[in-house]
Amino acid sequence: MATVRLFGGLRRRARDPKISVDGVTARDVLASLCRDNPGLHAVIWDGARVRDHVRGLIGGQAIELGRGLATRVTADDEIAIFPPIGSGGNTT
Amino acid sequence: MIDERVYEMFRDIGRDLFEADMVSSHGGNLSVRFGDRVIIKRRGAMLGRLAPHDLIETGLEKNDSGVALASSELLIHRTIYKTTPALAIVHCHPRTAIAFSLSRDEIIPIDNEASYLLKKVPVIWEEFASGSPEMANNLAKTLAEYKIVMLRGHGSFAIGQTLDEAFHWSSTLEESCEIALKTKLINEPFIEYRGMSEGYKKW
Amino acid sequence: MHGWAGKVLDIDLSKGAIKNYPLDEETARLFLGGRGLGARLLWDAVGPGVAPLSPENVLIFATGPLTATGYQTSNRFSVSTKSPLTGTVLDANSGGYWGMQFKKTGYDALIVRGRAPAPVYIEIKDAGAKILAARHVWGQRVRATTQTLGQNNNKRNVLCIGPAGENQSRIAAIMNDGERSLARGGPGAVMGSKNLKAIVVEGTARPQVLDQEQFKFMLYEARKLLRQSPLTSQALPEFGTAVVLNIVNHIGALPTRNFQQSQFERAEAISGETLAEKYLVKNAACWACPIGCTRVSKTDKIEGALSGAEGGVEGPEFETTWAFGAQCGVDDLAAIIEANAICNDLGLDTISAGSTLGCAMELTEKGLLDSDLRFGRADLLAPTLEALGARRGLGAELADGSLRLAKKYGAPELSMSVKGLEMPAYDPRGLQGQGLLYATSNRGACHMRGNMLGLEVLGLPKLIDRFQVYGKSSYVILHQNASAAIDSLVVCKFTNLGVAEEYFARTLSAVTGVKYATGDLIRVGERVWNLERLYNLREGFTNADDTLPPRLLKEPVSDGPSKGWVNQLEPMLKEYYRARGWDERGVPRRAKLEELELGAL
């Protein structure tokens, strides 16, 4: 199980700022995170894409500059999700 | 040798432009400014299928190796970089926008997104052949004031800090023109929903 | 003139002489106001060889053509002078109310020269200016001085120095409206050296706007943009500037313990989220600002004279939280809030003060300095700052910043500064572009002269690779030029998170009637940047000064997401000089100066 850490206003929408989530890819992890915490869905997803202003990092590196949502996730990984503190890049 | 990340940027935007029907097989062009260098697509290369060797790096001011292979539009790109704050240029052939450019001196979007982002897109007339210094200067001067400009009957030039950004303006313009075209089919009077929309005409 | 008030007030404190004259229209067109106008006036007023704390230095307070028009965040103003900390050209700018109020007295700029024989303050009203005795407030702290001199909401506004400025600490700030600061580079010391305690302003003349209809449209558009931007409508109002602390730490770019590490293991404890949860009383906003990023926070450490409205104090901002937090290894947010309040009351730059403490902590831990300071000693922040403001004991050693301190104890490389100005809260090893920005910034290391956080971390407008070196200079130059233009308008850089430069250019045209395309506005910024460069070259600075502390160039980050990186300054700097149109020694070429209408200098 990978660890997801939520920041800023996302914390109000989830049961805990730090959550263990199953998933093989970044996409799986985000999907299952939002299933367990439905309040997050609308602020993270825009259809099948991650919203423009949501920032995702695995091990401190921007997901979108790597393999995007297809990035494979291991149990040791920490995935950080930041709400709009700016942003805009497409995490596709 | 072009940096891998830079190549990926060109490849992705080029493919997106082709898949969105915004260029024909060999049409359109992309470039970025890095310091006093310009990276631009090679003449004749296909935007939808860019390979690393399809990108040419040359000087902002003067020519150096590889320039003979660069796009014939290099002069225009250089002039834009010297006249405006642009760090990236997307030139494409958005079909509906081109159709509107044939009958209008400016395109004023009626949809929300393009009103918000673009306000107004001027159409300039290519009196001289594509790539002439006069045309380049006229286009660059207009781009110092507007982030996207139409060349009548030809296509759009958009500028931004990154290729992403310039692509954003380009696809927003085309989407807006398609909406405008559809309203012609519906052919009913508009209900204005935007505050102070008269201001866009003066933009 | 429209937009500009059209007048300059010129006060010589040595002679007690007050005059005013018209603002030169050509100068206004080329340099706008604020930082640009200040740099241009400083070029003529203060030449090489003038000691910054001598009567020959000047203080130039300048507003811009948009100031007080009611445009979003048109409350700001700047001070320009030769910096006593760095010896470079300096400007610092601030929000609140004072800038708007000063403009309404009918002036674009105030030049203060000379040195008063005894402490004075200046009072400026519509009817004119007076120099008045300040014996009754000399020695008072900032909050007390502001109250004594009659601060009254947006009717009468007070700008002053505190004890740190009076004692000519080279990291002293000038404070306005009680808790706002013109902080960096030590302008408070220059004011202290002039025996000038305060400037009080009370005006009624709103600037003229030429095209009212277009101006209203621009106001409407800006309001819409600021509401739609998630940054200016949600993130900043909810968490303030400290909202970025967690993400900067997360990527491995939060300098920790004097830049020995790039991540602070206790970042969460001092984050914007924790501030909002535990200490926030309410938000506040500057004049004509719809964003409202100001925090008012409260802890039981702050009471009595230190506290203001509702027992709280403004701040702390992100940079301050970092400076007394991660930089000093401190995880006690209440102690950081207290340190911030003390700096505001003494009139100190929080970035330089915190970074100097961090430097002293490392000097002590390395056995070079004999003091009790250690990383993590939250309990020593408050007493050490009080001593610093009073130049007492160890405080006297710290009062002139980290570079003078580290040099004295034989380790100048432990000062985390550029050109003597302490670096803000971003580790250039984890953000390559930010390193180039710090190295080339004209007033020394600064995050407000273009900030790469947007492009390298937040993805504003789009994300670029923070470790990329090739081509980075283009982005840095564009942002440096744009920020110089914004500092000359003067509006708040946070407005720019929602409102792009093209809106500013059109607003400027509507207000003044002088046509500025977006490209013209950015060119104003480029002109200002080159003028500042010429000023520093005239002072004897060279390309050797465009550098970073050796730690950032030679010691790779030991752990975390930036592990293994140093800042690759050299190739970026070469590219930067070429792209700026400068020669390989960083001197602007004649052709570039002609192009920018700076040829006559």
Side-chain angles (χ1 to χ4, degrees):
Chain A
M1 299 253 274
T3 308
V4 173
R5 288 188 66 194
L6 301 170
F7 293 91
L10 296 179
R11 290 182 181 173
R12 275 186 280 110
R13 297 168 172 271
R15 56 184 158 82
D16 203 17
K18 201 167 173 180
I19 302 172
S20 292
V21 180
D22 272 328
V24 177
T25 63
R27 181 182 291 281
D28 299 342
V29 167
L30 287 184
S32 105
L33 172 74
C34 293
R35 260 196 311 278
D36 296 347
N37 299 272
L40 288 172
H41 197 275
V43 284
I44 291 183
W45 294 97
D46 176 10
R49 289 165 28 121
V50 170
R51 275 194 187 281
D52 269 357
H53 42 263
V54 172
R55 177 105 280 122
L57 302 158
I58 298 181
Q61 312 298 350
I63 294 178
E64 71 189 83
L65 291 181
R67 301 205 42 232
L69 288 179
T71 306
R72 296 188 79 81
V73 175
T74 69
D76 301 334
D77 278 331
E78 185 177 272
I79 302 167
I81 307 174
F82 292 85
I85 17 180
S87 184
N90 304 322
T91 313
T92 46
Chain B
M1 193 55 209
I2 304 290
D3 186 84
E4 191 185 352
R5 181 79 81 205
V6 176
Y7 161 65
E8 285 170 5
M9 235 161 51
F10 272 79
R11 180 199 63 197
D12 292 351
I13 302 287
R15 190 194 51 219
D16 288 352
L17 279 167
F18 178 73
E19 287 180 354
D21 284 342
M22 288 172 67
V23 287
S24 61
S25 63
H26 290 70
N29 206 341
L30 304 174
S31 73
V32 296
R33 173 183 175 173
F34 275 173
D36 62 341
R37 312 290 292 165
V38 175
I39 299 169
I40 189 165
K41 188 201 74 158
R42 183 172 60 84
R43 184 191 296 164
M46 292 188 275
L47 268 193
R49 297 184 181 189
L50 287 176
H53 65 263
D54 288 332
L55 304 184
I56 306 282
E57 180 179 325
T58 183
L60 177 62
E61 297 290 341
K62 51 183 187 289
N63 293 342
D64 44 33
S65 60
V67 79
L69 293 169
S71 162
S72 55
E73 282 157 347
L74 180 59
L75 169 74
I76 294 177
H77 289 242
R78 279 186 174 145
T79 311
I80 293 171
Y81 287 128
K82 282 189 270 185
T83 312
T84 75
L87 298 180
I89 298 172
V90 168
H91 165 51
C92 62
H93 299 162
R95 294 162 194 186
T96 315
I98 292 173
F100 275 107
S101 78
L102 293 169
S103 55
R104 299 183 179 193
D105 285 330
E106 55 194 33
I107 296 173
I108 299 177
I110 51 176
D111 63 303
N112 188 51
E113 185 78 359
S115 299
Y116 177 64
L117 292 175
L118 307 178
K119 309 286 187 285
K120 180 165 105 178
V121 180
V123 178
I124 62 174
W125 180 37
E126 213 171 318
E127 186 170 0
F128 303 91
S130 169
S132 74
E134 293 85 348
M135 208 277 294
N137 284 332
N138 187 13
L139 177 61
K141 245 183 78 193
T142 316
L143 281 169
E145 218 169 329
Y146 297 89
K147 53 199 173 199
I148 180 163
V149 172
M150 285 298 298
L151 293 187
R152 175 162 295 142
H154 175 171
S156 59
F157 275 85
I159 61 173
Q161 289 185 53
T162 62
L163 285 174
D164 263 33
E165 205 184 12
F167 177 40
H168 191 180
W169 314 144
S170 310
S171 61
T172 302
L173 171 63
E174 180 60 2
E175 180 184 71
S176 173
C177 288
E178 283 175 23
I179 291 167
L181 181 64
K182 290 196 164 114
T183 63
K184 294 200 173 292
L185 278 175
I186 297 170
N187 196 26
E188 288 173 8
F190 292 156
I191 301 162
E192 182 56 78
Y193 63 99
R194 302 164 301 173
M196 299 195 80
S197 61
E198 283 298 301
Y200 300 147
K201 294 179 187 157
K202 282 175 67 188
W203 189 257
Chain C
M1 292 175 93
H2 291 90
W4 292 282
K7 271 198 305 187
V8 177
L9 181 62
D10 194 324
I11 298 180
D12 187 331
L13 292 174
S14 299
K15 297 178 188 152
I18 300 174
K19 35 178 200 176
N20 67 70
Y21 39 82
L23 173 69
D24 178 61
E25 291 195 24
E26 181 71 355
T27 304
R29 180 183 70 79
L30 290 171
F31 297 95
L32 297 181
R35 171 177 166 188
L37 179 62
R40 182 64 190 86
L41 295 173
L42 191 72
W43 174 266
D44 289 339
V46 182
V50 171
L53 296 177
S54 72
E56 286 70 42
N57 197 5
V58 305
L59 285 168
I60 301 165
F61 296 90
T63 64
L66 296 190
T67 311
T69 57
Y71 190 67
Q72 283 87 349
T73 74
S74 61
N75 56 68
R76 297 188 78 86
F77 69 107
S78 64
V79 66
S80 298
T81 189
K82 189 195 283 189
S83 165
L85 183 65
T86 63
T88 62
V89 62
L90 173 71
D91 81 285
N93 81 48
S94 176
Y97 292 86
W98 193 93
M100 167 277 294
Q101 194 71 252
F102 169 65
K103 176 86 172 277
K104 282 167 61 186
T105 65
Y107 298 103
D108 297 295
L110 161 67
I111 307 179
V112 183
R113 306 172 193 267
R115 172 183 290 158
V120 295
Y121 75 99
I122 295 170
E123 185 178 74
I124 308 167
K125 294 188 179 183
D126 292 335
K130 283 186 219 161
I131 304 169
L132 300 163
R135 275 184 301 273
H136 63 305
V137 282
W138 194 259
Q140 278 191 14
R141 294 161 76 112
V142 170
R143 192 180 289 281
T145 305
T146 306
Q147 279 164 6
T148 306
L149 294 180
Q151 171 86 7
N152 182 7
N153 298 321
N154 58 3
K155 296 189 184 68
R156 177 178 167 96
N157 298 95
V158 177
L159 168 150
C160 68
I161 53 171
E166 292 180 15
N167 293 325
Q168 299 181 31
S169 156
R170 290 176 197 262
I171 58 171
I174 296 173
M175 306 295 296
N176 63 284
D177 302 301
E179 298 183 88
R180 302 256 135 212
S181 54
L182 302 139
R184 307 233 67 199
V190 178
M191 198 155 147
S193 77
K194 298 193 172 310
N195 272 325
L196 177 61
K197 178 69 178 175
I199 304 172
V200 185
V201 288
E202 223 182 301
T204 57
R206 284 286 282 267
Q208 304 279 313
V209 171
L210 185 70
D211 186 343
Q212 279 289 352
E213 196 192 338
Q214 178 72 359
F215 181 63
K216 273 187 201 143
F217 176 67
M218 297 311 301
L219 273 173
Y220 177 84
E221 286 296 311
R223 194 164 82 224
K224 201 162 70 182
L225 290 160
L226 291 171
R227 268 197 203 159
Q228 288 192 12
S229 158
L231 257 162
T232 50
S233 69
Q234 296 165 29
L236 281 172
E238 188 172 359
F239 298 109
T241 53
V243 69
V244 301
L245 193 138
N246 264 327
I247 195 167
V248 173
N249 183 60
H250 199 85
I251 63 168
L254 189 72
T256 300
R257 296 181 189 86
N258 207 30
F259 291 70
Q260 294 183 86
Q261 296 95 33
S262 70
Q263 279 186 315
F264 185 41
E265 65 287 353
R266 297 281 298 149
E268 188 63 46
I270 61 168
S271 66
E273 286 89 335
T274 304
L275 179 66
E277 191 188 316
K278 291 193 177 165
Y279 301 105
L280 185 68
V281 181
K282 61 168 186 176
N283 293 2
C286 299
W287 185 76
C289 174
I291 304 170
C293 71
T294 304
R295 312 287 83 189
V296 175
S297 19
K298 186 175 174 178
T299 87
D300 51 17
K301 289 192 174 168
I302 292 177
E303 47 196 28
L306 259 189
S307 67
E310 297 167 43
V313 287
E314 286 193 10
E317 302 296 331
F318 166 58
E319 298 293 338
T320 305
T321 307
W322 162 78
F324 293 119
Q327 165 72 357
C328 292
V330 166
D331 65 359
D332 179 347
L333 192 47
I336 294 168
I337 294 170
E338 186 191 18
N340 179 57
I342 290 171
C343 284
N344 283 352
D345 217 24
L346 295 172
L348 277 171
D349 173 6
T350 56
I351 298 178
S352 286
S355 186
T356 302
L357 288 184
C359 175
M361 288 169 176
E362 188 175 355
L363 286 168
T364 306
E365 292 197 348
K366 291 214 156 48
L368 298 166
L369 173 68
D370 182 18
S371 84
D372 293 332
L373 292 171
R374 296 284 186 287
F375 289 112
R377 287 291 301 268
D379 59 313
L380 291 182
L381 295 181
T384 309
L385 289 168
E386 291 288 357
L388 194 162
R391 277 196 185 272
R392 194 175 60 224
L394 176 66
E397 311 262 2
L398 307 174
D400 291 322
S402 65
L403 186 57
R404 285 173 172 83
L405 172 76
K407 265 187 187 160
K408 181 172 172 188
Y409 291 96
E413 71 280 5
L414 296 186
S415 164
M416 292 299 126
S417 60
V418 173
K419 300 183 177 75
L421 185 68
E422 286 75 12
M423 281 187 289
Y426 308 92
D427 191 322
R429 291 170 293 191
L431 300 175
Q432 295 291 319
Q434 195 80 355
L436 177 62
L437 190 86
Y438 286 169
T440 55
S441 171
N442 289 320
R443 71 172 185 181
C446 180
H447 64 296
M448 295 308 289
R449 326 260 72 219
N451 192 331
M452 295 302 284
L453 184 72
L455 281 162
E456 293 191 323
V457 182
L458 303 177
L460 269 175
K462 307 284 177 187
L463 194 68
I464 59 173
D465 187 342
R466 62 196 171 101
F467 296 117
Q468 180 187 323
V469 168
Y470 174 57
K472 256 313 157 52
S473 68
S474 302
Y475 305 108
V476 168
I477 291 168
L478 176 62
H479 284 258
Q480 286 179 335
N481 293 346
S483 70
I486 291 168
D487 287 341
S488 303
L489 282 170
V490 189
V491 293
C492 174
K493 293 206 176 69
F494 290 159
T495 317
N496 192 221
L497 296 170
V499 183
E501 290 83 358
E502 60 171 328
Y503 292 84
F504 296 148
R506 286 180 154 82
T507 306
L508 181 60
S509 304
V511 167
T512 64
V514 184
K515 174 95 199 248
Y516 290 91
T518 315
D520 299 332
L521 181 63
I522 304 292
R523 181 130 309 190
V524 169
E526 187 182 8
R527 180 177 301 123
V528 172
W529 195 273
N530 277 272
L531 172 61
E532 292 172 340
R533 180 76 179 183
L534 291 179
Y535 191 98
N536 287 349
L537 292 168
R538 194 173 73 175
E539 291 294 326
F541 286 88
T542 69
N543 55 326
D545 298 298
D546 296 336
T547 190
L548 294 169
R551 171 167 286 164
L552 307 180
L553 300 172
K554 291 178 190 150
E555 293 175 25
V557 175
S558 59
D559 208 359
S562 302
K563 185 177 176 175
W565 282 91
V566 294
N567 188 273
Q568 311 270 338
L569 182 61
E570 203 189 320
M572 287 194 291
L573 196 57
K574 279 188 178 153
E575 185 187 85
Y576 175 93
Y577 288 158
R578 287 200 313 269
R580 275 237 173 253
W582 297 355
D583 69 16
E584 60 285 352
R585 291 171 306 117
V587 178
R589 292 182 193 278
R590 168 115 323 246
K592 176 52 80 179
L593 296 177
E594 299 286 348
E595 177 195 317
L596 294 171
E597 301 177 68
L598 289 173
L601 308 180

